[in-house]
Amino acid sequence: GAGVSQSPSNKVTEKGKDVELRCDPISGHTALYWYRQRLGQGLEFLIYFQGNSAPDKSGLPSDRFSAERTGESVSTLTIQRTQQEDSAVYLCASRPDRANFAGELFFGEGSRLTVL
Amino acid sequence: GENVEQHPSTLSVQEGDSAVIKCTYSDSASNYFPWYKQELGKRPQLIIDIRSNVGEKKDQRIAVTLNKTAKHFSLHITETQPEDSAVYFCAASISANAGKSTFGDGTTLTVKP
């Protein structure tokens, strides 16, 4: 079946503009994560959704960042008033249901954001 | 919160040699430790994982060891091949099926033919 799908794959924007990044998880995966990966750096946790539970927003770096998820489907990460330091690859990952004890995260290809 | 440190940041080995990457974690409640491989321009993919109820796990040329007392775990790759060249990330989480995974900063492994 299809893997995790992210769009756009590349986004170039001007400083101060808002951007929306979209993630379509694997069907049936209840958990969804957003990570940020700056060039040559590790994966920085941003936010985690698990079913209908309140999301874990502890990794969002500022109030310019927000994310939503509709049920157990699509998620959108929004960055308002973008800054140059927001330039990075934004990776989305999904994981099967809690009842499935396999812990593997399935990553999308990422959305590369460049803020000029 | 959890903090994961990974060493070395870069590692270069000759084809056929072994490679070892080490990670330490801070939260003693962590119980699940996966390793991901990210080839250039590609998405990270799970290569092996270990839970806290075992000390070692092997899968062909790769193995992971865990020392819960010392809060560190290591990835071992034997008989390295050029296609093993990639960035490797360790991670730690409370549970395999809930909660966030905290990642290390990655190790760039280069296997010279």
PDB file of all heavy atoms in Angstrom, chain B residues 55-67:
ATOM      1  N   GLY B  55      19.114  -7.595  26.419  1.00  0.00           N
ATOM      2  CA  GLY B  55      20.379  -6.872  26.414  1.00  0.00           C
ATOM      3  C   GLY B  55      21.032  -6.786  25.054  1.00  0.00           C
ATOM      4  O   GLY B  55      21.898  -5.940  24.835  1.00  0.00           O
ATOM      5  N   GLU B  56      20.616  -7.679  24.147  1.00  0.00           N
ATOM      6  CA  GLU B  56      21.243  -7.696  22.834  1.00  0.00           C
ATOM      7  C   GLU B  56      20.274  -8.270  21.818  1.00  0.00           C
ATOM      8  O   GLU B  56      19.456  -9.142  22.123  1.00  0.00           O
ATOM      9  CB  GLU B  56      22.519  -8.547  22.863  1.00  0.00           C
ATOM     10  CG  GLU B  56      23.292  -8.548  21.545  1.00  0.00           C
ATOM     11  CD  GLU B  56      24.618  -9.304  21.637  1.00  0.00           C
ATOM     12  OE1 GLU B  56      24.897  -9.898  22.682  1.00  0.00           O
ATOM     13  OE2 GLU B  56      25.358  -9.287  20.643  1.00  0.00           O
ATOM     14  N   LYS B  57      20.391  -7.769  20.609  1.00  0.00           N
ATOM     15  CA  LYS B  57      19.564  -8.279  19.509  1.00  0.00           C
ATOM     16  C   LYS B  57      20.386  -8.234  18.236  1.00  0.00           C
ATOM     17  O   LYS B  57      21.109  -7.260  18.007  1.00  0.00           O
ATOM     18  CB  LYS B  57      18.307  -7.425  19.362  1.00  0.00           C
ATOM     19  CG  LYS B  57      17.332  -7.886  18.300  1.00  0.00           C
ATOM     20  CD  LYS B  57      16.094  -6.993  18.326  1.00  0.00           C
ATOM     21  CE  LYS B  57      15.095  -7.384  17.259  1.00  0.00           C
ATOM     22  NZ  LYS B  57      13.913  -6.480  17.289  1.00  0.00           N
ATOM     23  N   LYS B  58      20.301  -9.293  17.446  1.00  0.00           N
ATOM     24  CA  LYS B  58      21.069  -9.362  16.203  1.00  0.00           C
ATOM     25  C   LYS B  58      20.164  -9.585  15.010  1.00  0.00           C
ATOM     26  O   LYS B  58      19.136 -10.251  15.106  1.00  0.00           O
ATOM     27  CB  LYS B  58      22.079 -10.509  16.272  1.00  0.00           C
ATOM     28  CG  LYS B  58      23.243 -10.295  17.198  1.00  0.00           C
ATOM     29  CD  LYS B  58      24.227 -11.466  17.113  1.00  0.00           C
ATOM     30  CE  LYS B  58      25.414 -11.261  18.033  1.00  0.00           C
ATOM     31  NZ  LYS B  58      26.368 -12.381  17.977  1.00  0.00           N
ATOM     32  N   ASP B  59      20.582  -9.032  13.883  1.00  0.00           N
ATOM     33  CA  ASP B  59      19.895  -9.275  12.624  1.00  0.00           C
ATOM     34  C   ASP B  59      20.949  -9.255  11.529  1.00  0.00           C
ATOM     35  O   ASP B  59      21.367  -8.196  11.071  1.00  0.00           O
ATOM     36  CB  ASP B  59      18.830  -8.204  12.371  1.00  0.00           C
ATOM     37  CG  ASP B  59      18.035  -8.467  11.095  1.00  0.00           C
ATOM     38  OD1 ASP B  59      18.270  -9.499  10.440  1.00  0.00           O
ATOM     39  OD2 ASP B  59      17.172  -7.635  10.757  1.00  0.00           O
ATOM     40  N   GLN B  60      21.417 -10.425  11.173  1.00  0.00           N
ATOM     41  CA  GLN B  60      22.461 -10.593  10.161  1.00  0.00           C
ATOM     42  C   GLN B  60      23.702  -9.804  10.569  1.00  0.00           C
ATOM     43  O   GLN B  60      24.311 -10.127  11.603  1.00  0.00           O
ATOM     44  CB  GLN B  60      21.922 -10.189   8.787  1.00  0.00           C
ATOM     45  CG  GLN B  60      20.737 -11.046   8.364  1.00  0.00           C
ATOM     46  CD  GLN B  60      20.230 -10.722   6.970  1.00  0.00           C
ATOM     47  OE1 GLN B  60      20.436  -9.639   6.442  1.00  0.00           O
ATOM     48  NE2 GLN B  60      19.561 -11.676   6.346  1.00  0.00           N
ATOM     49  N   ARG B  61      24.081  -8.785   9.801  1.00  0.00           N
ATOM     50  CA  ARG B  61      25.338  -8.081  10.100  1.00  0.00           C
ATOM     51  C   ARG B  61      25.192  -6.964  11.129  1.00  0.00           C
ATOM     52  O   ARG B  61      26.171  -6.309  11.478  1.00  0.00           O
ATOM     53  CB  ARG B  61      25.926  -7.497   8.813  1.00  0.00           C
ATOM     54  CG  ARG B  61      26.336  -8.524   7.793  1.00  0.00           C
ATOM     55  CD  ARG B  61      27.053  -7.879   6.608  1.00  0.00           C
ATOM     56  NE  ARG B  61      26.202  -6.944   5.883  1.00  0.00           N
ATOM     57  CZ  ARG B  61      26.320  -5.619   5.933  1.00  0.00           C
ATOM     58  NH1 ARG B  61      27.258  -5.040   6.668  1.00  0.00           N
ATOM     59  NH2 ARG B  61      25.519  -4.840   5.214  1.00  0.00           N
ATOM     60  N   ILE B  62      24.000  -6.701  11.576  1.00  0.00           N
ATOM     61  CA  ILE B  62      23.822  -5.629  12.552  1.00  0.00           C
ATOM     62  C   ILE B  62      23.355  -6.190  13.893  1.00  0.00           C
ATOM     63  O   ILE B  62      22.650  -7.207  13.947  1.00  0.00           O
ATOM     64  CB  ILE B  62      22.840  -4.544  12.053  1.00  0.00           C
ATOM     65  CG1 ILE B  62      21.461  -5.146  11.772  1.00  0.00           C
ATOM     66  CG2 ILE B  62      23.380  -3.850  10.819  1.00  0.00           C
ATOM     67  CD1 ILE B  62      20.429  -4.099  11.404  1.00  0.00           C
ATOM     68  N   ALA B  63      23.769  -5.516  14.941  1.00  0.00           N
ATOM     69  CA  ALA B  63      23.390  -5.911  16.283  1.00  0.00           C
ATOM     70  C   ALA B  63      23.272  -4.657  17.136  1.00  0.00           C
ATOM     71  O   ALA B  63      23.902  -3.630  16.849  1.00  0.00           O
ATOM     72  CB  ALA B  63      24.421  -6.858  16.882  1.00  0.00           C
ATOM     73  N   VAL B  64      22.449  -4.738  18.141  1.00  0.00           N
ATOM     74  CA  VAL B  64      22.320  -3.635  19.086  1.00  0.00           C
ATOM     75  C   VAL B  64      22.451  -4.206  20.492  1.00  0.00           C
ATOM     76  O   VAL B  64      21.940  -5.294  20.784  1.00  0.00           O
ATOM     77  CB  VAL B  64      20.980  -2.885  18.899  1.00  0.00           C
ATOM     78  CG1 VAL B  64      19.791  -3.807  19.040  1.00  0.00           C
ATOM     79  CG2 VAL B  64      20.868  -1.718  19.858  1.00  0.00           C
ATOM     80  N   THR B  65      23.181  -3.489  21.336  1.00  0.00           N
ATOM     81  CA  THR B  65      23.327  -3.877  22.734  1.00  0.00           C
ATOM     82  C   THR B  65      22.774  -2.768  23.608  1.00  0.00           C
ATOM     83  O   THR B  65      22.815  -1.591  23.241  1.00  0.00           O
ATOM     84  CB  THR B  65      24.800  -4.124  23.096  1.00  0.00           C
ATOM     85  OG1 THR B  65      25.545  -2.926  22.837  1.00  0.00           O
ATOM     86  CG2 THR B  65      25.374  -5.264  22.271  1.00  0.00           C
ATOM     87  N   LEU B  66      22.247  -3.142  24.754  1.00  0.00           N
ATOM     88  CA  LEU B  66      21.629  -2.187  25.670  1.00  0.00           C
ATOM     89  C   LEU B  66      22.121  -2.432  27.079  1.00  0.00           C
ATOM     90  O   LEU B  66      22.114  -3.565  27.558  1.00  0.00           O
ATOM     91  CB  LEU B  66      20.102  -2.318  25.619  1.00  0.00           C
ATOM     92  CG  LEU B  66      19.299  -1.560  26.673  1.00  0.00           C
ATOM     93  CD1 LEU B  66      19.457  -0.059  26.486  1.00  0.00           C
ATOM     94  CD2 LEU B  66      17.835  -1.966  26.621  1.00  0.00           C
ATOM     95  N   ASN B  67      22.534  -1.367  27.740  1.00  0.00           N
ATOM     96  CA  ASN B  67      22.901  -1.416  29.144  1.00  0.00           C
ATOM     97  C   ASN B  67      21.996  -0.430  29.876  1.00  0.00           C
ATOM     98  O   ASN B  67      22.238   0.773  29.870  1.00  0.00           O
ATOM     99  CB  ASN B  67      24.381  -1.049  29.325  1.00  0.00           C
ATOM    100  CG  ASN B  67      24.835  -1.164  30.768  1.00  0.00           C
ATOM    101  OD1 ASN B  67      24.060  -0.927  31.705  1.00  0.00           O
ATOM    102  ND2 ASN B  67      26.087  -1.523  30.961  1.00  0.00           N
TER     103      ASN B  67
END
